Amino acid sequence: MEAKVQTMNSHGVQDLPREIFHIILDYLGSNKPILRSCSLVCRSWLQASRPRLFAIVSLYACEQRLVGFLEFLGTHPDIPNHVRSLMLHKPMDEQPPGVSGTLDASLTPSTLARTTRALPRLRECQLYFVHIVNTVRCPNADSAQSASLVDLSVLHIFGSAHQEIGPFLEMLAYFRIDRLELELVSFDPCPMLSSDSQLGRVHIRDLWADLETVDDSPVAILSALAPALSPGVLQTFHCNWREWSGCEPVGAFLRTVGHSLADLELNMSVPSWVEDKGSASRYSIRSPRRN
C-alpha cells in the first residue's frame, strides 16, 4: 500500500494526459497571461501552449518592430507555423517599451510583405491607424511583380487618414486577397501614379469599403484601383460613402469592373437640413446575388 501511495505521489503535473491538458487550454481560450504561465511548467506544456500563444500576434506598426519580429522568427523556426492572424496597430503611448527614437505608425509595402511571407499559415492581417509609405528601392529588392503572392483570407484596414494611393496599391499587389475590408480610410486624390507605384496586378475577390468619412475625397481610391484589379477576379463589392459627389467615381468603378460582380451593395448618406440633430438621408442599392 505504501509503495502504491509513493508511486502516485511521484507523478507530477507534467504527467497529465495530453487530451486533458488540451481540454484545459480550450477552456482558457485566448487568455495569454495564463497560457504563458502554462508554457513555463514543462516542455510538453510549452509545446501544447505555443499554438494558442502565437495564433494571434499583435505588434506596434513600425519598421523597427517588424524587423525585430523577423529576427525572432529566424531564431525560433517552430513559431511561424502557429501564427494565423497578424495585428499591426499604432501605439497608444508616445514611447512604447523596447523602441528607441521616435515611433511612427508607418510601414513600407515590402517590409509588410516580407513579414507575412515568413508566416506560412497566416490567414488574416489587420492594420489599425497604420500609414503605408513608399518603399525605398534597393537593387536586389523583390518587387510585387517578381515575388510570389501571399494568400490572405482577410486584410482589414481601419482608420488610416489621408493615405497615399501609390504605396497603398503597391502593398495590395503583394497579396492575393479573398476579402479586403476598408473601414474609415480616406485617400489623398492622385490624378497620375508613377510607374514605380504600379508594380503589379491587384488580386481581390471581395471588396468591402466603408468610406463614409468627413474627408472631401473618400472614394478617391476607386478610380486608381479599377485599372489595377486583375480582370474577372472581383466578385463582391459593398461600398458606403457620403455626398452625391461620390456617385461619379463609384459609377466609373462599376463600369470598369462590374461585369464580374456576383454581389453588389451600395449605400450613400447625404446630410439633410437637420443633420446637426443627427439626421441624414440614406440611399441604398442592392443587387440580387448571382449564382
Side-chain angles (χ1 to χ4, degrees):
M1 183 67 178
E2 255 180 58
K4 185 175 181 181
V5 171
Q6 288 178 357
T7 303
M8 292 174 62
N9 291 337
S10 66
H11 290 287
V13 70
Q14 67 272 15
D15 298 312
L16 189 69
R18 292 181 64 87
E19 295 80 4
I20 301 298
F21 181 52
H22 280 291
I23 292 174
I24 295 174
L25 291 179
D26 290 338
Y27 176 78
L28 294 175
S30 57
N31 191 322
K32 288 205 170 186
I34 297 180
L35 287 172
R36 195 174 295 113
S37 298
C38 291
S39 69
L40 300 175
V41 173
C42 60
R43 183 176 295 274
S44 62
W45 282 37
L46 170 64
Q47 294 171 350
S49 300
R50 271 187 171 176
R52 291 167 173 82
L53 269 173
F54 290 96
I56 301 175
V57 172
S58 178
L59 298 171
Y60 291 130
C62 70
E63 296 277 307
Q64 182 180 342
R65 274 292 170 92
L66 287 193
V67 170
F69 180 59
L70 286 171
E71 293 173 354
F72 168 78
L73 295 179
T75 56
H76 298 77
D78 59 319
I79 297 296
N81 285 323
H82 300 321
V83 182
R84 301 292 188 274
S85 178
L86 178 64
M87 182 186 301
L88 304 174
H89 57 93
K90 179 181 179 179
M92 295 299 105
D93 46 356
E94 293 185 1
Q95 188 64 42
V99 175
S100 58
T102 304
L103 180 62
D104 183 23
S106 61
L107 295 173
T108 61
S110 59
T111 300
L112 180 60
R114 282 197 302 126
T115 304
T116 55
R117 196 173 288 120
L119 306 171
R121 297 189 178 180
L122 184 70
R123 291 295 172 264
E124 181 181 54
C125 185
Q126 303 176 54
L127 308 181
Y128 292 93
F129 302 101
V130 178
H131 204 70
I132 306 299
V133 297
N134 283 311
T135 298
V136 178
R137 294 292 169 202
C138 300
N140 298 325
D142 287 340
S143 68
Q145 287 178 327
S146 62
S148 59
L149 297 179
V150 179
D151 290 319
L152 285 178
S153 296
V154 177
L155 175 59
H156 180 79
I157 302 174
F158 178 89
S160 176
H162 299 288
Q163 170 64 55
E164 294 178 37
I165 292 178
F168 185 80
L169 291 181
E170 179 188 345
M171 175 196 69
L172 294 181
Y174 280 101
F175 299 96
R176 186 184 293 109
I177 306 166
D178 288 343
R179 178 173 171 137
L180 173 62
E181 300 174 348
L182 304 178
E183 186 175 359
L184 302 182
V185 181
S186 64
F187 295 88
D188 286 338
C190 183
M192 183 175 294
L193 295 175
S194 67
S195 58
D196 254 2
S197 298
Q198 298 174 339
L199 295 178
R201 285 290 189 177
V202 174
H203 304 267
I204 301 171
R205 189 189 67 189
D206 299 341
L207 174 57
W208 295 63
D210 183 359
L211 304 174
E212 201 168 341
T213 68
V214 296
D215 295 79
D216 294 334
S217 302
V219 292
I221 182 61
L222 296 180
S223 58
L225 181 59
L229 283 171
S230 186
V233 174
L234 188 68
Q235 298 179 16
T236 298
F237 179 50
H238 289 202
C239 186
N240 302 333
W241 75 94
R242 291 168 58 95
E243 303 291 354
W244 291 101
S245 58
C247 294
E248 183 177 348
V250 171
F253 179 79
L254 291 175
R255 284 193 295 272
T256 304
V257 303
H259 62 279
S260 65
L261 293 177
D263 187 18
L264 171 66
E265 182 174 340
L266 305 176
N267 295 293
M268 178 187 68
S269 62
V270 180
S272 69
W273 64 277
V274 290
E275 187 186 29
D276 291 339
K277 299 185 181 299
S279 176
S281 302
R282 191 170 186 85
Y283 302 85
S284 299
I285 299 175
R286 181 172 178 83
S287 70
R289 182 181 292 271
R290 293 191 309 218
N291 295 326

